[in-house]
Amino acid sequence: MLLRGYGTAGPGGWLMLLLLACVAWASEITFELPDNAKQCFYEEIVQGTKCTLEFQVITGGHYDVDCRLEGPDGSVLYKEMKKQYDSFTFTASRNGTYKFCFSNEFSTFTHKTVYFDFQVGEDPPLFPGENKATALTQMESACVSIHEALKSVIDYQTHFRLREAQGCSRAEDLNTRVAYWSIGETVILLVVSIGQVFLLKSFFSDKRTTTTHVAS
């Protein structure tokens, strides 16, 4: 599968696109989406081909991005704003280049890590005669069942890895917030302690001054 992308991420974005070009054959890509940035990918699709776009935000901010899918004529097939994850299946209505974009332009300082899986068409048959009317042998049927089960295992592993990465990101974010909160509490405690010392000193100083005036 040939994927080509562009963005508004500056020099770092072009470097990332070069890296993506090296793995353009893969249908699954995880990439960094900086703040105020947009990344688009393109795919040549034949009419009548069934396609599925699935994406999920792994890290960053509120774990949301804007996603938009357009057909060769510029028609909008799919558009969602600030989504954490979603899946969309469609059948190509015409031949041409389809474009799907992920946007983080609404964020001013938080970059995101986005995973997407874009599947085009169906998997080729495991055996040449699998889709014919002839019956499969017991060995062939077992191979087909194992093949389908392994595909399910791969899908589950991918989702579990994404959930694990997202959980780690949330835990690190929570740990950072707790650390900052602890530092803030420590600073407040020190300020209050020092303030109490000076306040007590002022009480004794006022008492000493009053006693001196009475003695005189």
Side-chain angles (χ1 to χ4, degrees), residues 15-34:
L15 177 60
M16 183 186 65
L17 293 178
L18 291 176
L19 294 176
L20 288 179
C22 297
V23 292
W25 52 269
S27 60
E28 300 181 30
I29 292 179
T30 301
F31 66 97
E32 294 288 335
L33 185 61

Side-chain angles (χ1 to χ4, degrees), residues 49-60:
T49 304
K50 184 178 180 181
C51 307
T52 300
L53 172 63
E54 182 179 1
F55 69 92
Q56 179 175 344
V57 182
I58 302 175
T59 63

